[in-house]
Each structure stands twice: as C-alpha cells, then as structure tokens.
Amino acid sequence: MTPMTTTPDKNPAPRTDSPVLHATGVTMRFGGLTAVHAVDLTVAHHEIVGLIGPNGAGKTTFFNCLTGLYIPTEGTVTYKGTVLPPKPHLVTEAGIARTFQNIRLFANMTVLENVLVGRHTRTEEGLFSALLRGPKFHRAEKASTQRAMELLHFTGLTPKADHLARNLPYGEQRKLEIARALASEPGLLLLDEPTAGMNPQETRATQTLVRAIRDQGIAVLVIEHDMRFIFNLCDRVAVLVQGEKLTEGTAETVQADERVIAAYLGTPFEGAPGQDEIAEVEAAEADARTEDNR
C-alpha cells in the first residue's frame, strides 16, 4: 500500500541550504582496530542522502556514532549547529530518529501502542500527572493518540492499528518502525536498510514513502544494499569502504567511479585492507553490539 496524503509534520520546516547534520572527522576505534576513520558528511534540509559500501564498510558503526549509541573516538557530530549529546535518548530529543537493520518493535504491543511509544520524547506529562490522570493528562493522551493515528494513516497502517506488531507482514513491520520514528517529530530520519527482505512492490512503496517524508521537510540519511533503490531515491550518495569515505556525489558520479566498481567487485585497489583486517574490524563491531545489549 502506498502512503496516504496525511503529513508527518503539520508545520514543516522552511527550506534552507544550511546542513541539518554535519559530521566532521568521525572516527571510531575498538581497541586498536579502526572501524570508521575521519568521515565527513553533511545532510541538508529537504535532502535524501544515501550511504553505501560493501559488507564491513562501517556504515552501521557510523550510524551508531551519529545517534549516540557509540561515542566517536575522534570527530564531532552536530545537528542544526549544536553538538549532539552522547546518549541515544538525548539525540532523539534533539531531533534525530532512526530505524534499525534488524527490526526492533514491541512484538506484543499493538501497532498503535508502538507508535505511541515513539511519542514519549514529545510529551510533557510527568510522573504525578500520569498517576493522578487529571484533565491535563487526558488532553495529552488524546493528542498523542490523534498524532499516532495520523502517522498510521500516512504509512498506510490505519487498518492494522489494533493488531499486534508481531502479526504484521514483514514489509508492514518496516513501515511501523518508520511510523514510530516519525512519532518523535524528527528533523532528520536515519534509515538502516529499510528495504532489506522486501519484494519489489514493497521496495517501490518504501521509496514513495521516503520521498513523501522528505517532501514534508524531514531530511533523510539511508543505508541500503539495494543499489537501484539508492540511486533512484537519493540526491547524493556517499560511499564507505573499510571505514573511510571513498567518494561522494550524484548517483551518476558514484556509479561511474572506477574505485566504487572495484570495491563492489572485490578488486583490490591501492591502500585497500586485506581480508584479515576486514575480519578483525567486523569482529570488533560484533563484540561492541554484544556489550550494548547486556
């Protein structure tokens, strides 16, 4: 199902050329291993930027540095000119939302309840208000429910509002993750492989949805392995190879770069790391994820 016409933001941000995201010299080391090295990247308002690269290129590690899951060893990340705090919930409060490569929904909650969870950073009700459940609490609860239903309409999930998240088809679970992320009213949305596991029809619907999000003033940074999806969707594409930004530009520029072709074909180029080094970095990233989940 294609997205509906309801807007994800009633007051979209005015168009401007200033960057909403500015990452400078971002480096992430795990012990003596460097997973991301000196990466610079900007995302402007009303822009969709793609981040691509072979497996083990450091794309998700870079995402984690942007969203406070990892504190970069070096470099800075600013959102609308302000350095981001090194805590995921504070990054969300600042205005950056994300989805994950592996879907992270509350499986035993309804679709509507999952979106309401995403509203928590934009509600002002404290503990005592929630306990007393007075008029102010009920007004806030009604407003949050109304906003959540608007986002379900926007993503085409209204008929599934009362369904458990675990019972949704895979493609609709991906949409629900996006709806929940939009519930925090972000100015920048980070999508980590949003079409993974989708069929061509679902992929086209996701492309339409992402463009609709951008059209409402929300900038988008997306990781994806589906090159057709990326090149059809994005205004700019940046390529990471073993943690370093190899090149950046329009889809046409990137596709014509011989170094990008070599990286995807597995052909060594000058300065390329060996397989042992690649395996070490991937193992370090996996260990870091294990620690985060404890």
Side-chain angles (χ1 to χ4, degrees):
M1 181 182 295
T2 55
M4 308 301 287
T5 56
T6 304
T7 62
D9 188 343
K10 295 178 181 178
N11 299 295
R15 192 178 185 93
T16 174
D17 293 330
S18 62
V20 63
L21 176 77
H22 194 174
T24 306
V26 172
T27 297
M28 186 68 206
R29 296 189 183 95
F30 300 100
L33 301 173
T34 302
V36 174
H37 178 63
V39 174
D40 298 337
L41 187 71
T42 62
V43 181
H45 291 269
H46 292 264
E47 186 176 36
I48 303 174
V49 176
L51 187 63
I52 66 172
N55 289 333
K59 302 183 296 296
T60 297
T61 296
F62 182 66
F63 254 38
N64 290 341
C65 290
L66 301 181
T67 56
L69 282 173
Y70 296 160
I71 301 174
T73 309
E74 298 173 13
T76 59
V77 181
T78 63
Y79 173 73
K80 295 184 177 180
T82 301
V83 176
L84 287 171
K87 295 289 184 182
H89 71 282
L90 296 178
V91 171
T92 302
E93 287 181 11
I96 297 179
R98 72 169 294 178
T99 64
F100 290 85
Q101 183 176 349
N102 299 314
I103 295 174
R104 298 187 182 184
L105 296 173
F106 296 99
N108 292 319
M109 293 172 64
T110 68
V111 168
L112 176 59
E113 288 168 343
N114 267 273
V115 180
L116 286 171
V117 168
R119 291 289 303 165
H120 78 280
T121 60
R122 297 294 176 250
T123 56
E124 299 178 355
E125 299 308 299
L127 174 61
F128 289 108
S129 177
L131 290 174
L132 295 172
R133 302 181 71 84
K136 186 177 180 181
F137 171 82
H138 287 292
R139 285 195 299 271
E141 187 177 51
K142 182 178 179 180
S144 289
T145 300
Q146 179 180 344
R147 183 69 184 126
M149 289 302 298
E150 289 174 354
L151 290 170
L152 292 182
H153 183 62
F154 176 74
T155 52
L157 292 173
T158 302
K160 304 293 182 69
D162 295 327
H163 292 215
L164 292 179
R166 69 184 183 193
N167 293 332
L168 292 183
Y170 182 83
E172 290 185 345
Q173 289 188 18
R174 286 281 182 190
K175 283 186 177 182
L176 178 55
E177 261 211 323
I178 292 174
R180 186 178 63 185
L182 291 174
S184 68
E185 307 294 348
L188 172 66
L189 178 63
L190 276 58
L191 302 174
D192 194 346
E193 299 198 25
T195 69
M198 288 187 177
N199 62 41
Q201 182 179 357
E202 291 169 333
T203 297
R204 288 192 296 272
T206 300
Q207 182 172 296
T208 301
L209 176 60
V210 174
R211 284 177 174 157
I213 292 167
R214 184 271 309 277
D215 290 344
Q216 300 306 319
I218 300 173
V220 180
L221 177 61
V222 55
I223 292 174
E224 185 55 67
H225 282 294
D226 185 335
M227 294 298 98
R228 179 177 295 181
F229 174 82
I230 283 288
F231 292 138
N232 286 337
L233 176 70
C234 296
D235 301 299
R236 283 187 296 118
V237 179
V239 184
L240 288 189
V241 175
Q242 300 314 314
E244 297 189 16
K245 189 170 76 173
L246 184 65
T247 188
E248 179 182 351
T250 64
E252 292 78 11
T253 299
V254 169
Q255 289 180 87
D257 193 307
E258 293 183 356
R259 297 170 300 167
V260 176
I261 297 170
Y264 273 93
L265 291 177
T267 304
F269 54 91
E270 186 177 355
Q275 290 302 314
D276 290 343
E277 184 178 351
I278 293 171
E280 285 185 301
V281 171
E282 290 177 341
E285 291 178 353
D287 288 343
R289 288 193 295 270
T290 299
E291 288 295 324
D292 290 338
N293 291 330
R294 288 177 178 173

mmCIF file of all heavy atoms in Angstrom, residues 41-58:
data_model
loop_
_atom_site.group_PDB
_atom_site.id
_atom_site.type_symbol
_atom_site.label_atom_id
_atom_site.label_comp_id
_atom_site.label_asym_id
_atom_site.label_seq_id
_atom_site.Cartn_x
_atom_site.Cartn_y
_atom_site.Cartn_z
ATOM 1 N N LEU A 41 30.552 14.171 6.626
ATOM 2 C CA LEU A 41 29.291 14.027 5.896
ATOM 3 C C LEU A 41 28.321 15.109 6.343
ATOM 4 O O LEU A 41 28.225 15.416 7.532
ATOM 5 C CB LEU A 41 28.662 12.655 6.153
ATOM 6 C CG LEU A 41 27.427 12.320 5.310
ATOM 7 C CD1 LEU A 41 27.833 12.088 3.853
ATOM 8 C CD2 LEU A 41 26.702 11.096 5.859
ATOM 9 N N THR A 42 27.621 15.694 5.384
ATOM 10 C CA THR A 42 26.559 16.647 5.696
ATOM 11 C C THR A 42 25.263 16.182 5.058
ATOM 12 O O THR A 42 25.265 15.506 4.029
ATOM 13 C CB THR A 42 26.883 18.066 5.189
ATOM 14 O OG1 THR A 42 27.012 18.031 3.760
ATOM 15 C CG2 THR A 42 28.150 18.602 5.811
ATOM 16 N N VAL A 43 24.159 16.555 5.702
ATOM 17 C CA VAL A 43 22.818 16.326 5.135
ATOM 18 C C VAL A 43 22.064 17.633 5.293
ATOM 19 O O VAL A 43 21.972 18.175 6.401
ATOM 20 C CB VAL A 43 22.070 15.190 5.855
ATOM 21 C CG1 VAL A 43 20.700 14.979 5.211
ATOM 22 C CG2 VAL A 43 22.873 13.900 5.842
ATOM 23 N N ALA A 44 21.550 18.157 4.194
ATOM 24 C CA ALA A 44 20.826 19.423 4.225
ATOM 25 C C ALA A 44 19.331 19.188 4.410
ATOM 26 O O ALA A 44 18.831 18.066 4.259
ATOM 27 C CB ALA A 44 21.077 20.199 2.929
ATOM 28 N N HIS A 45 18.621 20.249 4.753
ATOM 29 C CA HIS A 45 17.164 20.180 4.818
ATOM 30 C C HIS A 45 16.610 19.726 3.464
ATOM 31 O O HIS A 45 17.159 20.044 2.414
ATOM 32 C CB HIS A 45 16.578 21.555 5.157
ATOM 33 C CG HIS A 45 16.866 22.016 6.549
ATOM 34 N ND1 HIS A 45 16.033 21.764 7.610
ATOM 35 C CD2 HIS A 45 17.908 22.722 7.061
ATOM 36 C CE1 HIS A 45 16.538 22.294 8.707
ATOM 37 N NE2 HIS A 45 17.676 22.885 8.396
ATOM 38 N N HIS A 46 15.528 19.006 3.487
ATOM 39 C CA HIS A 46 14.850 18.556 2.262
ATOM 40 C C HIS A 46 15.770 17.729 1.367
ATOM 41 O O HIS A 46 15.633 17.739 0.148
ATOM 42 C CB HIS A 46 14.320 19.751 1.465
ATOM 43 C CG HIS A 46 13.203 20.494 2.130
ATOM 44 N ND1 HIS A 46 11.880 20.258 1.863
ATOM 45 C CD2 HIS A 46 13.221 21.453 3.076
ATOM 46 C CE1 HIS A 46 11.129 21.055 2.606
ATOM 47 N NE2 HIS A 46 11.922 21.787 3.352
ATOM 48 N N GLU A 47 16.702 17.003 1.963
ATOM 49 C CA GLU A 47 17.633 16.213 1.161
ATOM 50 C C GLU A 47 17.608 14.757 1.600
ATOM 51 O O GLU A 47 17.460 14.446 2.777
ATOM 52 C CB GLU A 47 19.049 16.771 1.312
ATOM 53 C CG GLU A 47 20.070 16.107 0.391
ATOM 54 C CD GLU A 47 21.450 16.744 0.497
ATOM 55 O OE1 GLU A 47 21.851 17.150 1.606
ATOM 56 O OE2 GLU A 47 22.126 16.828 -0.533
ATOM 57 N N ILE A 48 17.737 13.863 0.627
ATOM 58 C CA ILE A 48 17.899 12.436 0.903
ATOM 59 C C ILE A 48 19.311 12.056 0.497
ATOM 60 O O ILE A 48 19.699 12.212 -0.662
ATOM 61 C CB ILE A 48 16.889 11.578 0.125
ATOM 62 C CG1 ILE A 48 15.459 11.998 0.436
ATOM 63 C CG2 ILE A 48 17.079 10.097 0.461
ATOM 64 C CD1 ILE A 48 14.408 11.289 -0.420
ATOM 65 N N VAL A 49 20.092 11.572 1.463
ATOM 66 C CA VAL A 49 21.482 11.175 1.213
ATOM 67 C C VAL A 49 21.605 9.680 1.455
ATOM 68 O O VAL A 49 21.119 9.158 2.462
ATOM 69 C CB VAL A 49 22.458 11.940 2.122
ATOM 70 C CG1 VAL A 49 23.893 11.450 1.919
ATOM 71 C CG2 VAL A 49 22.372 13.443 1.845
ATOM 72 N N GLY A 50 22.238 8.986 0.535
ATOM 73 C CA GLY A 50 22.460 7.559 0.669
ATOM 74 C C GLY A 50 23.869 7.272 1.147
ATOM 75 O O GLY A 50 24.819 7.991 0.810
ATOM 76 N N LEU A 51 23.994 6.222 1.945
ATOM 77 C CA LEU A 51 25.307 5.781 2.429
ATOM 78 C C LEU A 51 25.449 4.315 2.042
ATOM 79 O O LEU A 51 24.707 3.463 2.514
ATOM 80 C CB LEU A 51 25.398 5.944 3.943
ATOM 81 C CG LEU A 51 26.760 5.688 4.597
ATOM 82 C CD1 LEU A 51 27.796 6.698 4.100
ATOM 83 C CD2 LEU A 51 26.638 5.766 6.119
ATOM 84 N N ILE A 52 26.396 4.031 1.140
ATOM 85 C CA ILE A 52 26.552 2.675 0.636
ATOM 86 C C ILE A 52 27.981 2.198 0.847
ATOM 87 O O ILE A 52 28.875 2.977 1.179
ATOM 88 C CB ILE A 52 26.188 2.574 -0.862
ATOM 89 C CG1 ILE A 52 27.181 3.374 -1.723
ATOM 90 C CG2 ILE A 52 24.759 3.032 -1.101
ATOM 91 C CD1 ILE A 52 26.984 3.160 -3.227
ATOM 92 N N GLY A 53 28.184 0.921 0.639
ATOM 93 C CA GLY A 53 29.500 0.326 0.762
ATOM 94 C C GLY A 53 29.384 -1.169 0.934
ATOM 95 O O GLY A 53 28.332 -1.677 1.340
ATOM 96 N N PRO A 54 30.428 -1.916 0.645
ATOM 97 C CA PRO A 54 30.390 -3.376 0.804
ATOM 98 C C PRO A 54 30.187 -3.760 2.264
ATOM 99 O O PRO A 54 30.303 -2.931 3.173
ATOM 100 C CB PRO A 54 31.784 -3.822 0.300
ATOM 101 C CG PRO A 54 32.336 -2.654 -0.451
ATOM 102 C CD PRO A 54 31.727 -1.434 0.149
ATOM 103 N N ASN A 55 29.881 -5.027 2.498
ATOM 104 C CA ASN A 55 29.771 -5.522 3.870
ATOM 105 C C ASN A 55 31.054 -5.232 4.635
ATOM 106 O O ASN A 55 32.153 -5.391 4.113
ATOM 107 C CB ASN A 55 29.508 -7.027 3.876
ATOM 108 C CG ASN A 55 28.115 -7.374 3.398
ATOM 109 O OD1 ASN A 55 27.192 -6.572 3.527
ATOM 110 N ND2 ASN A 55 27.949 -8.557 2.837
ATOM 111 N N GLY A 56 30.902 -4.810 5.901
ATOM 112 C CA GLY A 56 32.067 -4.496 6.721
ATOM 113 C C GLY A 56 32.654 -3.131 6.466
ATOM 114 O O GLY A 56 33.739 -2.813 6.956
ATOM 115 N N ALA A 57 31.924 -2.278 5.719
ATOM 116 C CA ALA A 57 32.457 -0.958 5.385
ATOM 117 C C ALA A 57 32.357 0.030 6.538
ATOM 118 O O ALA A 57 32.937 1.116 6.474
ATOM 119 C CB ALA A 57 31.735 -0.395 4.163
ATOM 120 N N GLY A 58 31.600 -0.304 7.594
ATOM 121 C CA GLY A 58 31.469 0.594 8.735
ATOM 122 C C GLY A 58 30.240 1.476 8.701
ATOM 123 O O GLY A 58 30.136 2.419 9.485
#
